[in-house]
Amino acid sequence: MRDTELYFHLLGLVKPWTVGNVELSVPNRRVDVAVEHPVGLLWRCPQCTFEGSLYDHSDERTWRHLDSCQFLTYLRARIPRIKCPMHGVLQVSVPWAEPHSRFTLLFERLAVEILLQSTVQGAAQILGLSWFEVMHLMERAVARGQKKESAAQLPKTIGIDEKYTPCGVLTLVNDLDTPRVAKVLVGVKKEPLKEYLGSFPEPQRESVRAVALDMCDTFYAAIAEVIPESWNKIVYDRFHVMQHVSKAVEKVRKQEHAYLLRTSDQRLTGTRFLWSYSDENLPEHRREQLEKLKADKLVTGRAWALKEFLRTLWNCPSRSTAMEVWNKWYCWAQRSRLEPMKDVARRLRARLYNILTFIEHRITNAASEGLNSAISTLIRRAYGYRNLQNQITAIYFYHGGLNLLPEPVTHGELG
């Protein structure tokens, strides 16, 4: 097989394109493949079905292709242009690359596959590119995937969470059914979230089943204005609720520990994390210590018991049963004479309706927290992405659930 025939197949070309010549440079370990086409062809407008004769050629361009026999391989060609009566003078589509790309489709596919298993710097070393070139390929892949989702549906079950990164704060709108990051917004503000959710048609907004979020008034206000019947769909995440209660227990422990230390009583020394455990997750080697402290009738033990009783709320089969549990817990907290517990009880009561919507929807923001953790690992592994926009691109690339791979141009699209 001649070199021209070999590279015709290696480059994935289709007629009318042919390989004109192949230039091999052994010292530079480089192969340049010139691609040509016959004269007298009709070419199709890239934006409509009009077919016209050649108008002229653009300047010669070069695309990086997959290495062949460990030689850097480049494709060179002058792209035909036609004069469309509707769209003017445009370059025609070529089968080996997407518009405005400096890489062939096969090279971009390889880059995406490597990036999915590596960092930007690691992919740069494998592909022989700079960090910025690989970041550009990641940006193209994300733009490609988002373009394919131009008619994307609003997720039916949504989780909203904030993410603090080295370059700034982000709001993540997550699809809890997948799970994936559906939208990344800069900052923690009402208007961007409201604008994003409101951009979907009303039937899609009506079809949202539930929205899980922490007790953030900013998020609540945005959702309330654009999601129909939002008061029955917003679910305050149970883990964030229990986090607030655990913080109240820690305040009680600190106060009691300071009091005991005045009499050189160190029973609460080193027990900070002990009280954060739930009863079933308590390590066996620490159970004896906890039981002894509870038997000493310390007020921290009472605060911990309050926390544990509230956890039974999430197992209630109905809202009426949950209200009974809540009323018992609230009265106990108010009679406890523990100010941190009384304070958190009052704050939860103000949001009780959307805490108890969990009974109907049974969703949490655990998937959002999982994505948040994965994004932290992603940023840490890459030692950062240099700016906020790069971080957003990486989040979409690795956790956006996008179709990142380029689609081949078929013969029918060539004209």
Side-chain angles (χ1 to χ4, degrees), residues 16 43 48 80 120 155 167 177 190 217-218 223 231 237 243 270 275 308 315 325 349 358 362 380 401:
W43 300 93
C48 66
V120 174
C167 295
D177 294 327
K190 171 186 172 183
D217 293 336
T218 300
I223 296 165
W231 61 88
D237 180 52
Q243 189 178 63
W275 303 104
E308 288 303 290
N315 299 322
V325 171
R349 184 177 64 171
F358 171 85
R362 302 286 173 177
R380 184 170 59 253

mmCIF file of all heavy atoms in Angstrom, residues 16 43 48 80 120 155 167 177 190 217-218 223 231 237 243 270 275 308 315 325 349 358 362 380 401:
data_model
loop_
_atom_site.group_PDB
_atom_site.id
_atom_site.type_symbol
_atom_site.label_atom_id
_atom_site.label_comp_id
_atom_site.label_asym_id
_atom_site.label_seq_id
_atom_site.Cartn_x
_atom_site.Cartn_y
_atom_site.Cartn_z
ATOM 1 N N PRO A 16 -14.790 13.413 -1.384
ATOM 2 C CA PRO A 16 -13.816 13.616 -2.465
ATOM 3 C C PRO A 16 -12.404 13.954 -1.989
ATOM 4 O O PRO A 16 -11.546 14.287 -2.805
ATOM 5 C CB PRO A 16 -14.413 14.797 -3.223
ATOM 6 C CG PRO A 16 -15.063 15.613 -2.158
ATOM 7 C CD PRO A 16 -15.643 14.625 -1.199
ATOM 8 N N TRP A 43 -20.156 22.088 -3.414
ATOM 9 C CA TRP A 43 -19.950 22.015 -1.968
ATOM 10 C C TRP A 43 -21.201 22.512 -1.251
ATOM 11 O O TRP A 43 -21.869 23.433 -1.709
ATOM 12 C CB TRP A 43 -18.744 22.852 -1.542
ATOM 13 C CG TRP A 43 -17.470 22.418 -2.189
ATOM 14 C CD1 TRP A 43 -16.929 22.907 -3.333
ATOM 15 C CD2 TRP A 43 -16.593 21.397 -1.729
ATOM 16 N NE1 TRP A 43 -15.754 22.255 -3.630
ATOM 17 C CE2 TRP A 43 -15.516 21.325 -2.653
ATOM 18 C CE3 TRP A 43 -16.588 20.536 -0.639
ATOM 19 C CZ2 TRP A 43 -14.464 20.432 -2.514
ATOM 20 C CZ3 TRP A 43 -15.542 19.648 -0.494
ATOM 21 C CH2 TRP A 43 -14.491 19.601 -1.418
ATOM 22 N N CYS A 48 -26.864 25.485 5.791
ATOM 23 C CA CYS A 48 -28.133 25.151 5.155
ATOM 24 C C CYS A 48 -27.880 24.079 4.093
ATOM 25 O O CYS A 48 -26.784 23.520 4.012
ATOM 26 C CB CYS A 48 -28.788 26.395 4.546
ATOM 27 S SG CYS A 48 -27.879 27.115 3.154
ATOM 28 N N PRO A 80 -12.050 24.705 1.015
ATOM 29 C CA PRO A 80 -12.860 25.430 0.040
ATOM 30 C C PRO A 80 -13.874 26.353 0.726
ATOM 31 O O PRO A 80 -14.355 26.064 1.826
ATOM 32 C CB PRO A 80 -13.581 24.310 -0.725
ATOM 33 C CG PRO A 80 -12.800 23.077 -0.440
ATOM 34 C CD PRO A 80 -12.222 23.246 0.919
ATOM 35 N N VAL A 120 -5.100 17.717 33.814
ATOM 36 C CA VAL A 120 -4.696 18.496 32.641
ATOM 37 C C VAL A 120 -3.197 18.367 32.412
ATOM 38 O O VAL A 120 -2.741 18.158 31.288
ATOM 39 C CB VAL A 120 -5.099 19.981 32.815
ATOM 40 C CG1 VAL A 120 -4.559 20.821 31.658
ATOM 41 C CG2 VAL A 120 -6.610 20.115 32.900
ATOM 42 N N PRO A 155 -34.055 19.159 35.600
ATOM 43 C CA PRO A 155 -34.144 17.919 36.383
ATOM 44 C C PRO A 155 -35.439 17.859 37.194
ATOM 45 O O PRO A 155 -35.946 18.883 37.659
ATOM 46 C CB PRO A 155 -32.916 17.999 37.302
ATOM 47 C CG PRO A 155 -31.949 18.877 36.572
ATOM 48 C CD PRO A 155 -32.797 19.882 35.850
ATOM 49 N N CYS A 167 -10.668 29.692 44.118
ATOM 50 C CA CYS A 167 -10.831 30.856 43.246
ATOM 51 C C CYS A 167 -12.154 31.590 43.455
ATOM 52 O O CYS A 167 -12.399 32.613 42.814
ATOM 53 C CB CYS A 167 -10.718 30.438 41.777
ATOM 54 S SG CYS A 167 -9.081 29.816 41.323
ATOM 55 N N ASP A 177 -31.227 12.658 40.427
ATOM 56 C CA ASP A 177 -31.565 11.344 39.882
ATOM 57 C C ASP A 177 -30.388 10.711 39.157
ATOM 58 O O ASP A 177 -30.312 9.486 39.037
ATOM 59 C CB ASP A 177 -32.758 11.459 38.918
ATOM 60 C CG ASP A 177 -34.039 11.859 39.633
ATOM 61 O OD1 ASP A 177 -34.200 11.451 40.800
ATOM 62 O OD2 ASP A 177 -34.848 12.591 39.045
ATOM 63 N N LYS A 190 -29.378 35.234 44.677
ATOM 64 C CA LYS A 190 -30.736 34.869 44.298
ATOM 65 C C LYS A 190 -30.963 34.997 42.794
ATOM 66 O O LYS A 190 -31.491 34.074 42.157
ATOM 67 C CB LYS A 190 -31.726 35.754 45.049
ATOM 68 C CG LYS A 190 -33.162 35.608 44.587
ATOM 69 C CD LYS A 190 -34.062 36.619 45.283
ATOM 70 C CE LYS A 190 -35.462 36.624 44.684
ATOM 71 N NZ LYS A 190 -36.320 37.641 45.313
ATOM 72 N N ASP A 217 -31.779 31.044 52.939
ATOM 73 C CA ASP A 217 -32.903 31.882 52.538
ATOM 74 C C ASP A 217 -32.762 32.370 51.095
ATOM 75 O O ASP A 217 -33.755 32.590 50.404
ATOM 76 C CB ASP A 217 -33.024 33.076 53.485
ATOM 77 C CG ASP A 217 -33.428 32.649 54.887
ATOM 78 O OD1 ASP A 217 -34.038 31.564 55.022
ATOM 79 O OD2 ASP A 217 -33.133 33.385 55.853
ATOM 80 N N THR A 218 -31.507 32.554 50.638
ATOM 81 C CA THR A 218 -31.274 33.016 49.269
ATOM 82 C C THR A 218 -31.806 32.009 48.265
ATOM 83 O O THR A 218 -32.511 32.347 47.317
ATOM 84 C CB THR A 218 -29.773 33.257 49.033
ATOM 85 O OG1 THR A 218 -29.305 34.239 49.954
ATOM 86 C CG2 THR A 218 -29.511 33.734 47.611
ATOM 87 N N ILE A 223 -36.170 29.916 44.443
ATOM 88 C CA ILE A 223 -37.029 28.802 44.052
ATOM 89 C C ILE A 223 -38.500 29.174 44.198
ATOM 90 O O ILE A 223 -39.340 28.850 43.354
ATOM 91 C CB ILE A 223 -36.700 27.559 44.904
ATOM 92 C CG1 ILE A 223 -35.270 27.104 44.612
ATOM 93 C CG2 ILE A 223 -37.668 26.425 44.637
ATOM 94 C CD1 ILE A 223 -34.717 26.143 45.635
ATOM 95 N N TRP A 231 -43.625 25.612 47.957
ATOM 96 C CA TRP A 231 -43.699 25.370 49.391
ATOM 97 C C TRP A 231 -43.865 23.886 49.720
ATOM 98 O O TRP A 231 -43.475 23.444 50.804
ATOM 99 C CB TRP A 231 -44.852 26.172 49.998
ATOM 100 C CG TRP A 231 -46.205 25.814 49.445
ATOM 101 C CD1 TRP A 231 -47.048 24.845 49.885
ATOM 102 C CD2 TRP A 231 -46.844 26.411 48.322
ATOM 103 N NE1 TRP A 231 -48.185 24.787 49.110
ATOM 104 C CE2 TRP A 231 -48.088 25.748 48.147
ATOM 105 C CE3 TRP A 231 -46.506 27.439 47.441
ATOM 106 C CZ2 TRP A 231 -48.986 26.073 47.127
ATOM 107 C CZ3 TRP A 231 -47.397 27.761 46.433
ATOM 108 C CH2 TRP A 231 -48.621 27.099 46.280
ATOM 109 N N ASP A 237 -32.556 19.831 53.771
ATOM 110 C CA ASP A 237 -31.774 18.603 53.865
ATOM 111 C C ASP A 237 -31.615 18.157 55.316
ATOM 112 O O ASP A 237 -31.193 18.913 56.182
ATOM 113 C CB ASP A 237 -30.402 18.838 53.228
ATOM 114 C CG ASP A 237 -29.535 17.611 53.285
ATOM 115 O OD1 ASP A 237 -29.995 16.539 52.861
ATOM 116 O OD2 ASP A 237 -28.394 17.729 53.766
ATOM 117 N N GLN A 243 -26.802 18.782 61.304
ATOM 118 C CA GLN A 243 -25.532 19.493 61.483
ATOM 119 C C GLN A 243 -25.710 20.684 62.414
ATOM 120 O O GLN A 243 -24.864 20.936 63.285
ATOM 121 C CB GLN A 243 -25.009 19.951 60.119
ATOM 122 C CG GLN A 243 -23.595 20.504 60.138
ATOM 123 C CD GLN A 243 -23.131 20.878 58.737
ATOM 124 O OE1 GLN A 243 -23.704 21.752 58.091
ATOM 125 N NE2 GLN A 243 -22.093 20.197 58.263
ATOM 126 N N GLY A 270 -10.960 15.838 75.208
ATOM 127 C CA GLY A 270 -10.800 14.898 74.104
ATOM 128 C C GLY A 270 -12.080 14.214 73.668
ATOM 129 O O GLY A 270 -12.028 13.184 72.986
ATOM 130 N N TRP A 275 -19.238 13.101 70.805
ATOM 131 C CA TRP A 275 -20.646 13.488 70.848
ATOM 132 C C TRP A 275 -21.232 13.736 69.451
ATOM 133 O O TRP A 275 -22.455 13.884 69.316
ATOM 134 C CB TRP A 275 -20.814 14.753 71.698
ATOM 135 C CG TRP A 275 -20.284 14.593 73.084
ATOM 136 C CD1 TRP A 275 -19.123 15.089 73.578
ATOM 137 C CD2 TRP A 275 -20.899 13.864 74.155
ATOM 138 N NE1 TRP A 275 -18.946 14.724 74.889
ATOM 139 C CE2 TRP A 275 -20.025 13.971 75.269
ATOM 140 C CE3 TRP A 275 -22.074 13.120 74.283
ATOM 141 C CZ2 TRP A 275 -20.312 13.373 76.498
ATOM 142 C CZ3 TRP A 275 -22.359 12.526 75.507
ATOM 143 C CH2 TRP A 275 -21.492 12.656 76.596
ATOM 144 N N GLU A 308 -30.126 12.794 69.464
ATOM 145 C CA GLU A 308 -30.472 11.452 69.015
ATOM 146 C C GLU A 308 -31.983 11.259 68.888
ATOM 147 O O GLU A 308 -32.450 10.574 67.978
ATOM 148 C CB GLU A 308 -29.887 10.413 69.983
ATOM 149 C CG GLU A 308 -28.374 10.275 69.881
ATOM 150 C CD GLU A 308 -27.931 9.916 68.480
ATOM 151 O OE1 GLU A 308 -28.181 8.774 68.049
ATOM 152 O OE2 GLU A 308 -27.343 10.785 67.794
ATOM 153 N N ASN A 315 -37.624 8.924 60.377
ATOM 154 C CA ASN A 315 -38.175 7.588 60.164
ATOM 155 C C ASN A 315 -39.697 7.546 60.267
ATOM 156 O O ASN A 315 -40.291 6.476 60.128
ATOM 157 C CB ASN A 315 -37.582 6.609 61.188
ATOM 158 C CG ASN A 315 -36.073 6.488 61.055
ATOM 159 O OD1 ASN A 315 -35.536 6.499 59.947
ATOM 160 N ND2 ASN A 315 -35.383 6.384 62.186
ATOM 161 N N VAL A 325 -43.676 13.631 67.023
ATOM 162 C CA VAL A 325 -42.267 13.529 67.430
ATOM 163 C C VAL A 325 -41.674 14.921 67.614
ATOM 164 O O VAL A 325 -40.969 15.199 68.600
ATOM 165 C CB VAL A 325 -41.463 12.723 66.399
ATOM 166 C CG1 VAL A 325 -39.957 12.800 66.693
ATOM 167 C CG2 VAL A 325 -41.923 11.277 66.365
ATOM 168 N N ARG A 349 -37.926 25.433 64.262
ATOM 169 C CA ARG A 349 -39.381 25.598 64.243
ATOM 170 C C ARG A 349 -39.811 26.587 63.160
ATOM 171 O O ARG A 349 -40.848 26.397 62.511
ATOM 172 C CB ARG A 349 -39.876 26.069 65.608
ATOM 173 C CG ARG A 349 -41.409 26.176 65.691
ATOM 174 C CD ARG A 349 -41.872 26.580 67.058
ATOM 175 N NE ARG A 349 -41.414 27.919 67.408
ATOM 176 C CZ ARG A 349 -41.817 28.585 68.490
ATOM 177 N NH1 ARG A 349 -42.671 28.009 69.344
ATOM 178 N NH2 ARG A 349 -41.343 29.796 68.755
ATOM 179 N N PHE A 358 -39.804 16.339 53.892
ATOM 180 C CA PHE A 358 -39.024 15.117 53.687
ATOM 181 C C PHE A 358 -39.930 13.885 53.758
ATOM 182 O O PHE A 358 -39.700 12.886 53.051
ATOM 183 C CB PHE A 358 -37.920 15.008 54.745
ATOM 184 C CG PHE A 358 -37.202 13.691 54.738
ATOM 185 C CD1 PHE A 358 -36.141 13.461 53.888
ATOM 186 C CD2 PHE A 358 -37.605 12.647 55.576
ATOM 187 C CE1 PHE A 358 -35.480 12.239 53.863
ATOM 188 C CE2 PHE A 358 -36.960 11.423 55.563
ATOM 189 C CZ PHE A 358 -35.894 11.217 54.704
ATOM 190 N N ARG A 362 -38.872 12.159 50.643
ATOM 191 C CA ARG A 362 -37.798 11.239 51.015
ATOM 192 C C ARG A 362 -36.520 11.480 50.222
ATOM 193 O O ARG A 362 -35.897 10.543 49.709
ATOM 194 C CB ARG A 362 -38.238 9.780 50.829
ATOM 195 C CG ARG A 362 -39.477 9.392 51.619
ATOM 196 C CD ARG A 362 -39.173 9.248 53.085
ATOM 197 N NE ARG A 362 -40.401 9.048 53.864
ATOM 198 C CZ ARG A 362 -40.423 8.829 55.170
ATOM 199 N NH1 ARG A 362 -39.283 8.778 55.852
ATOM 200 N NH2 ARG A 362 -41.563 8.696 55.812
ATOM 201 N N ARG A 380 -8.068 19.525 44.158
ATOM 202 C CA ARG A 380 -6.846 19.239 44.917
ATOM 203 C C ARG A 380 -5.872 18.410 44.089
ATOM 204 O O ARG A 380 -4.656 18.654 44.103
ATOM 205 C CB ARG A 380 -7.220 18.512 46.209
ATOM 206 C CG ARG A 380 -6.039 18.245 47.134
ATOM 207 C CD ARG A 380 -6.495 17.746 48.489
ATOM 208 N NE ARG A 380 -7.261 16.513 48.406
ATOM 209 C CZ ARG A 380 -8.575 16.419 48.582
ATOM 210 N NH1 ARG A 380 -9.276 17.507 48.857
ATOM 211 N NH2 ARG A 380 -9.189 15.256 48.500
ATOM 212 N N GLY A 401 -22.015 15.138 33.305
ATOM 213 C CA GLY A 401 -22.767 14.123 32.586
ATOM 214 C C GLY A 401 -22.953 14.451 31.110
ATOM 215 O O GLY A 401 -23.943 14.046 30.500
#
